[in-house]
Amino acid sequence: MDDIIDVPTLIRLFFVAVPSFTLIASASSTIHDSLLIYGSRGTNQSNSAKGGNQTASGGSGSLASRVLAIVSFQVPHDWFHHFYALSLVASAFWAYQIFTGGLAFTIVAANTKPQAATMTVDQISLVWTLVAVQGTRRLYECLVFGKKSSSTMWIGHWILGIGFYFLVSMAVWVEGIPTLLETKPLPDFKLRAPSLRTFVGLPIFILASGMQYDAHEYLGSLKKYTLPMHPIFQVLICPHYFAECLIYLSLSILAAPAGDLLNRTIFSVVFFTIILHGITSKTTRAWYAQKFGEDKIKGRWNMIPFVF
């Protein structure tokens, strides 16, 4: 069994390695400005990159010319809604695979090492439902609150987002594979008294979801890019990012196997979210300071109250 490629470990590796590499790469101003800034904040950088491509190409082999060549592959920022559509499709796909004992689920199960503790059917059902709710809400927000714009993002962001949401659709059940192999999910599902972790995790999920919805609705109501003045934006530069971190933290609590405080696979998603959103929130702060003045955002935390 030692030679098995452990799927849960590979999923965790993705969620830890990608933000770690991004954090290191962001130390380079060339990489940060060209690859890590997108949307309205990245319009100027994108235009500069296109305009400066020929200049940079003069120094063949330079970091700048290579980065500019990579960043030239742009896709519409409106493609963000693809992530949430994929999240719903992937959740449905894995549900079908598990209930029918499909080939994809069989391969994943065969390449998962034995686990000392496992999720229950109730936990899998609850967290699966909450992820579906999250995906549905975010898709709705993108389609209803989103504005048509010429903003773009690097195609690497789009590919990364697709990979992220597909792996999240696996993370919600992958630590429950022993349970899924031993029981038939639907016949085994029963309404039982909620556990302590449910009393802790579910309110966090509901409150964080409401916070994120409120923030996105407010941002969508702005007629143009202005400094947000909603009460929650008076405390945080990016409250919607903080809410997303809380959402995944709540799922990690709810999905924790017996004897564990957190679900390790989903907690790696929390790490991913904190690092990448943290980088973006810092960039957003710099953009606000440049556009409106540092005095206008003085006293506001970037993303996490009293921490960052």
Side-chain angles (χ1 to χ4, degrees), residues 246-262:
L246 289 179
I247 286 170
Y248 288 117
L249 177 62
S250 72
L251 295 177
S252 180
I253 294 171
L254 291 167
D260 292 341
L261 183 63
L262 300 168

Side-chain angles (χ1 to χ4, degrees), residues 44-296:
N44 293 337
Q45 282 82 355
S46 178
N47 291 338
S48 298
K50 293 176 182 178
N53 210 355
Q54 292 184 340
T55 302
S57 64
S60 60
S62 70
L63 174 63
S65 62
R66 291 176 181 177
V67 171
L68 290 174
I70 294 173
V71 80
S72 63
F73 295 97
Q74 298 281 314
V75 297
H77 188 258
D78 294 340
W79 282 17
F80 246 77
H81 72 272
H82 292 177
F83 303 152
Y84 312 113
L86 173 83
S87 175
L88 296 175
V89 170
S91 291
F93 169 77
W94 287 116
Y96 175 79
Q97 284 290 308
I98 290 171
F99 288 132
T100 62
L103 178 61
F105 173 71
T106 302
I107 292 174
V108 172
N111 289 281
T112 298
K113 293 181 179 179
Q115 302 169 8
T118 181
M119 298 168 64
T120 66
V121 171
D122 291 354
Q123 284 180 296
I124 296 171
S125 302
L126 175 60
V127 176
W128 204 313
T129 300
L130 294 180
V131 168
V133 169
Q134 165 77 355
T136 302
R137 177 180 61 80
R138 289 295 292 118
L139 180 60
Y140 171 83
E141 290 170 358
C142 283
L143 297 178
V144 176
F145 302 149
K147 297 177 180 179
K148 292 292 183 180
S149 72
S150 59
S151 296
T152 62
M153 60 179 168
W154 177 46
I155 193 171
H157 288 148
W158 182 81
I159 295 173
L160 185 63
I162 292 295
F164 173 86
Y165 283 99
F166 182 78
L167 291 180
V168 166
S169 74
M170 298 177 65
V172 300
W173 55 264
V174 76
E175 289 195 34
I177 286 179
T179 297
L180 295 173
L181 290 174
E182 293 173 3
T183 63
K184 294 295 183 180
L186 279 178
D188 191 67
F189 178 77
K190 298 177 182 178
L191 289 177
R192 299 177 177 89
S195 64
L196 177 60
R197 64 169 57 92
T198 303
F199 280 113
V200 174
L202 192 56
I204 295 175
F205 178 87
I206 294 172
L207 291 174
S209 297
M211 179 195 303
Q212 190 175 58
Y213 179 89
D214 195 35
H216 286 150
E217 182 181 34
Y218 172 74
L219 290 174
S221 70
L222 298 177
K223 300 303 180 184
K224 58 181 179 179
Y225 290 109
T226 57
L227 182 65
M229 300 305 293
H230 186 285
I232 198 170
F233 283 92
Q234 298 293 319
V235 179
L236 299 172
I237 295 290
C238 297
H240 45 311
Y241 291 167
F242 177 55
E244 185 146 338
C245 294
L246 289 179
I247 286 170
Y248 288 117
L249 177 62
S250 72
L251 295 177
S252 180
I253 294 171
L254 291 167
D260 292 341
L261 183 63
L262 300 168
N263 181 299
R264 290 178 297 166
T265 306
I266 300 180
F267 189 72
S268 67
V269 180
V270 178
F271 177 81
F272 183 104
T273 307
I274 288 176
I275 298 300
L276 292 191
H277 280 347
I279 293 173
T280 305
S281 69
K282 186 177 180 181
T283 300
T284 302
R285 184 186 193 91
W287 187 79
Y288 283 158
Q290 180 183 28
K291 190 172 181 66
F292 307 108
E294 179 64 35
D295 59 307
K296 298 292 186 180

